[in-house]
């Protein structure tokens, strides 16, 4: 066994695909300081965080979290179906249902847990799940775990999806699952077309709004709200760990669907409820994003500054419609070197490479957050222009 492990590590190292942790100290205001290595000298601006609205440091979020910690203690002590069903969970579920415009909601331990719990509850042997090729690993794993037949359609290609549905829909249950904003490219799914197809072929539609909730929609209700298709989406999933600055996840759906998942989603049933401090932070964050037009406007102004600066520095490409800005490099080594070079100059951005993205499409992924000053956005684009 040890041989297998060390041999595997050697192989990954040789191929340049070994993942490693990079410990750092977080400095408030969007910076991190690496604790070892040659780059540890100065703090780095964090272009890798999903804390889009900077809510991890919002005073209301911290206050509520502290309040609940003091009042209710550090942990939940048990799963919801045992003695862990502190009423705080229900308050959070009511507020997230309202934010998403759905009847009901259910909180999960994390987005990963939500996806691997919900998909096997909704589909099993004899059923088919139609899933976008670029869906997050947690969706892929949920499909696998369900035992349903998995049909993967080309990214955002509704024609390919319809072809597959015509051939492979079958007579069982069928589910289409997509992300509204894709985590690696920052592009958007064709939601209205998907709704039309879902209705035509009598499927259920599940939309993962991990990168959209809080950021899109007039009240932060996500892309499903912005596109006016809330009622057509059977399951809206999202997380508290990204724009909401906290931790955990939720699904918003009909009352019956939530009752069904309370019984059927194993990652819900067999896992300890979230700690009170986390629920406090999430509750406050939902309130902040509901009234967060100004925050969203500020974020997208920064996104505009960054994209303009990239173009001014000769970096072309389709930067997409969201706060996630991919700069396509192609070659793995070139992408890794560009990331290293940026790091030496005070910028922390991640090189995204296979297997996370298709071969030959290695890229730098910049996520813009409200933490980043305009000057830093401009300077970073300038640095990148010189490197590439
Ligand atoms: C981050 C993410 C998840 C997982 O959420 P966690 O709360 O981090 O476990 C699921 N789906 C998508 C699309 C994500 O980006």
């Amino acid at each position: 066994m040890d041989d297998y492990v060390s041999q595997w590590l050697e192989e990954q190292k040789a191929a340049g695909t070994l993942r490693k942790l990079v410990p750092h100290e977080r400095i408030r205001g969007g910076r991190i300081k690496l604790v070892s290595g040659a780059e540890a000298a100065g703090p780095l601006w964090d272009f890798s965080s999903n804390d889009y609205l900077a809510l991890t440091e919002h005073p209301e979020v911290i206050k509520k979290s502290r309040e609940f910690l003091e009042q209710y203690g550090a942990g939940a002590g048990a799963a919801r179906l045992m003695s862990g069903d502190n009423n705080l969970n229900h308050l959070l579920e009511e507020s997230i249902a309202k934010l998403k415009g759905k009847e009901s909601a259910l909180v999960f331990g994390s987005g990963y847990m939500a996806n691997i719990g919900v998909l096997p509850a909704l589909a099993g042997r004899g059923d088919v799940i139609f899933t976008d090729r670029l869906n997050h690993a947690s969706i892929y794993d949920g499909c696998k775990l369900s035992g349903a037949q998995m049909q993967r359609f080309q990214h955002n290609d509704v024609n390919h999806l319809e072809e597959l549905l015509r051939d492979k829909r079958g007579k069982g249950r069928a589910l289409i699952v997509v992300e509204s904003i894709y985590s690696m490219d920052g592009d958007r799914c064709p939601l209205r077309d998907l709704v039309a197809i879902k209705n035509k072929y009598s499927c259920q539609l599940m939309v993962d709004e991990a990168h959209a909730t809080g950021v899109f929609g007039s009240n932060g209700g996500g892309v499903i709200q912005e596109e006016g298709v809330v009622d057509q989406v059977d399951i809206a999933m999202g997380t508290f760990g990204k724009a909401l600055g906290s931790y955990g996840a939720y699904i918003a759906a009909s009352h019956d669907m939530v009752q069904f998942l309370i019984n059927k989603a194993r990652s819900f049933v067999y896992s300890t409820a979230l700690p009170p401090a986390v629920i406090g932070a999430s509750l406050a964050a939902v309130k902040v994003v509901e009234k967060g037009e100004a925050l969203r406007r500020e974020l997208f102004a920064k996104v505009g500054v960054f994209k303009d600066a990239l173009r001014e520095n000769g970096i072309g490409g389709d930067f997409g419609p969201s706060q996630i800005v991919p700069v396509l490099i192609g070659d793995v080594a070139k992408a890794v070197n560009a990331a290293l070079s940026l790091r030496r100059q005070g910028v922390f951005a991640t090189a995204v490479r296979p297997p996370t993205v298709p071969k030959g499409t290695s890229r730098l992924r910049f996520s813009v957050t409200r933490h980043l000053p305009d000057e830093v956005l401009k300077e970073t684009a300038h640095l990148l222009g010189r490197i590439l």
Side-chain angles (χ1 to χ4, degrees), residues 110-113 115 136 138-139 179 181 183 208 210-211 237 239 241-242 247-249:
S110 71
Y112 186 88
M113 286 174 67
N115 283 336
H136 191 262
S138 57
I139 296 175
E179 294 177 30
I181 299 290
S183 55
D208 180 331
H211 295 275
M237 174 273 177
T239 74
K242 287 168 180 153
Y247 186 72

Side-chain angles (χ1 to χ4, degrees), residues 76 114 228 244 313:
L244 285 112
N313 285 281

Side-chain angles (χ1 to χ4, degrees), residues 214-261:
V215 177
F216 289 89
S218 54
N219 299 323
V223 171
I224 63 169
Q225 184 195 62
E226 196 174 279
E227 300 256 346
V229 296
V230 168
D231 293 339
Q232 307 284 318
V233 172
D234 300 281
I235 308 239
M237 174 273 177
T239 74
F240 294 112
K242 287 168 180 153
L244 285 112
S246 173
Y247 186 72
Y250 64 84
I251 62 97
S254 69
H255 174 79
D256 280 0
M257 178 64 82
V258 166
Q259 296 309 309
F260 176 76
L261 291 174

Side-chain angles (χ1 to χ4, degrees), residues 80 90 93 96-97 102-108 122 234-236 250-265 268:
R80 298 273 301 274
H90 295 270
E93 284 163 353
I96 201 76
K102 296 301 249 184
E103 228 170 52
S104 248
L106 187 65
V107 168
F108 283 80
L122 291 178
D234 300 281
I235 308 239
Y250 64 84
I251 62 97
S254 69
H255 174 79
D256 280 0
M257 178 64 82
V258 166
Q259 296 309 309
F260 176 76
L261 291 174
I262 288 172
N263 286 271
K264 294 277 272 188
F268 174 84

Side-chain angles (χ1 to χ4, degrees), residues 1 12 14 55 70 74 91 107 132 142 144 179 181 225 258 291 297 306 376:
M1 185 62 194
Q12 299 301 310
L55 295 198
E70 296 291 347
L91 296 180
V107 168
D132 189 287
K144 280 273 177 199
E179 294 177 30
I181 299 290
Q225 184 195 62
V258 166
K291 300 193 182 80
R297 229 178 295 126
F306 188 53
V376 169

Side-chain angles (χ1 to χ4, degrees), residues 153-171:
F153 57 93
Q154 298 301 335
H155 178 52
N156 274 349
D157 185 343
V158 283
N159 292 326
H160 187 218
L161 169 61
E162 186 154 16
E163 233 170 76
L164 288 175
L165 275 162
R166 241 181 263 127
D167 287 353
K168 321 268 189 187
R169 163 71 181 78
K171 303 251 179 292

